[in-house]
């Protein structure tokens, strides 16, 4: 999140048009993580929209490094939504939005990791390890505290409600389709959380 904040501030400072500055900031966030979460989101969308009936086939597809048309479209849609929301703010609001959507989306990941079953029991990925209750709770609480200081109590409450509903439905769907979670599915949930967070802030900010 901090990389995105610094990037948008520097880009705006040197005179790059604001919309382009926001896009560059989003790109910097993708690059700093190696596109890990975006890849998971794209692979998940690609797998779901291929409508494969067999759970094992879905897991094979989602591990394939080749992203199909649906995955690319989902990624474009995700970036466009975040860009449109962030572009509706002032520079200060955009910086806060970038930071908070990163904090909340990553802070909530341990909850999914703890309470969603693993789709592949023999997975060695650290992203599918189940964190303890204390670690998961601390991660969420810290993210919420940061959000309250940044955007206020009621906006944080609104974000939390939206996230509980949307990611709750998404988690239920992923469990039905994949019987649990994988590192790719966690990436998808992180991206969904980012989108929900920034759109909620944008909607409340427009009132």
């Amino acid at each position: 999140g901090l990389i995105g904040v610094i990037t948008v501030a520097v880009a705006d400072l040197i005179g790059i048009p604001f919309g382009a500055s926001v896009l560059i900031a989003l790109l910097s966030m993708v690059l700093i993580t190696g596109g890990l979460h975006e890849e998971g989101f794209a692979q998940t969308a690609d797998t779901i929209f291929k409508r494969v009936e067999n759970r094992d086939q879905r897991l094979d597809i989602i591990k394939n490094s080749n992203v199909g048309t649906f995955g690319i479209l989902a990624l474009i849609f995700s970036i466009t939504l975040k860009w449109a929301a962030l572009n509706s703010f002032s520079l200060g609001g955009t910086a806060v939005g970038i930071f908070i959507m990163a904090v909340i989306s990553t802070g909530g990941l341990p909850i999914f990791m703890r309470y969603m079953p693993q789709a592949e029991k023999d997975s060695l990925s650290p992203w599918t390890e189940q964190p303890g209750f204390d670690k998961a709770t601390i991660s969420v609480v810290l993210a919420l505290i940061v959000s309250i200081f940044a955007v206020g109590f009621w906006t944080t409450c609104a974000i939390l409600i939206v996230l509980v509903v949307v990611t709750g439905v998404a988690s239920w769907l992923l469990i039905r389709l994949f019987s649990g979670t994988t590192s790719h599915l966690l990436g998808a949930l992180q991206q969904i959380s980012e989108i929900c967070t920034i759109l909620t802030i944008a909607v409340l900010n427009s009132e």
Side-chain angles (χ1 to χ4, degrees), residues 31-43:
L31 294 176
I32 201 68
T33 61
L36 180 67
H37 299 134
E38 287 77 13
E39 179 188 8
F41 182 72
Q43 294 283 30

Side-chain angles (χ1 to χ4, degrees), residues 2-142:
L2 285 175
I3 295 297
V5 171
I6 294 171
T7 302
V8 74
V10 171
D12 185 73
L13 183 64
I14 63 178
I16 296 176
F18 187 65
S21 297
V22 173
L23 191 58
I24 292 170
L26 290 173
L27 178 60
S28 72
M29 295 170 68
V30 174
L31 294 176
I32 201 68
T33 61
L36 180 67
H37 299 134
E38 287 77 13
E39 179 188 8
F41 182 72
Q43 294 283 30
T44 301
D46 205 37
T47 304
I48 290 174
F49 285 106
K50 283 184 177 178
R51 298 182 181 180
V52 178
E53 297 297 328
N54 184 279
R55 172 250 187 199
D56 292 329
Q57 287 182 322
R58 292 192 193 101
L59 289 173
D60 288 337
I61 293 172
I62 205 169
K63 288 185 289 187
N64 192 322
S65 59
N66 296 320
V67 179
T69 303
F70 289 117
I72 294 172
L73 290 174
L75 199 54
I76 292 173
F77 184 63
S78 168
I79 293 174
T80 301
L81 279 178
K82 287 185 278 190
W83 176 84
L86 291 167
N87 199 43
S88 68
F89 304 142
S90 63
L91 176 60
T94 296
V96 171
I98 289 174
F99 182 68
I100 290 304
M101 74 177 190
V103 168
I104 290 183
S105 63
T106 53
L109 277 181
I111 293 295
F112 302 121
M113 295 167 68
R114 174 168 176 78
Y115 293 106
M116 289 180 69
Q118 290 187 22
E120 298 176 297
K121 299 300 182 182
D122 58 345
S123 174
L124 298 177
S125 171
W127 288 101
T128 56
E129 292 181 3
Q130 186 181 59
F133 174 80
D134 53 344
K135 291 182 179 180
T137 302
I138 290 172
S139 178
V140 172
V141 169
L142 287 177

Side-chain angles (χ1 to χ4, degrees), residues 116-205:
M116 289 180 69
Q118 290 187 22
E120 298 176 297
K121 299 300 182 182
D122 58 345
S123 174
L124 298 177
S125 171
W127 288 101
T128 56
E129 292 181 3
Q130 186 181 59
F133 174 80
D134 53 344
K135 291 182 179 180
T137 302
I138 290 172
S139 178
V140 172
V141 169
L142 287 177
L144 291 176
I145 290 174
V146 171
S147 179
I148 289 172
F149 276 103
V151 297
F153 177 77
W154 293 113
T155 299
T156 300
C157 287
I159 292 170
L160 184 59
I161 292 170
V162 171
L163 284 176
V164 168
V165 173
V166 176
T167 62
V169 172
S171 299
W172 170 82
L173 177 63
L174 295 179
I175 290 173
R176 280 185 59 88
L177 293 175
F178 299 93
S179 302
T181 189
T182 68
S183 58
H184 287 89
L185 299 179
L186 287 171
L189 288 169
Q190 189 272 341
Q191 287 292 291
I192 291 171
S193 298
E194 275 198 350
I195 293 169
C196 289
T197 298
I198 199 59
L199 286 181
T200 302
I201 296 174
V203 168
L204 294 178
N205 189 65

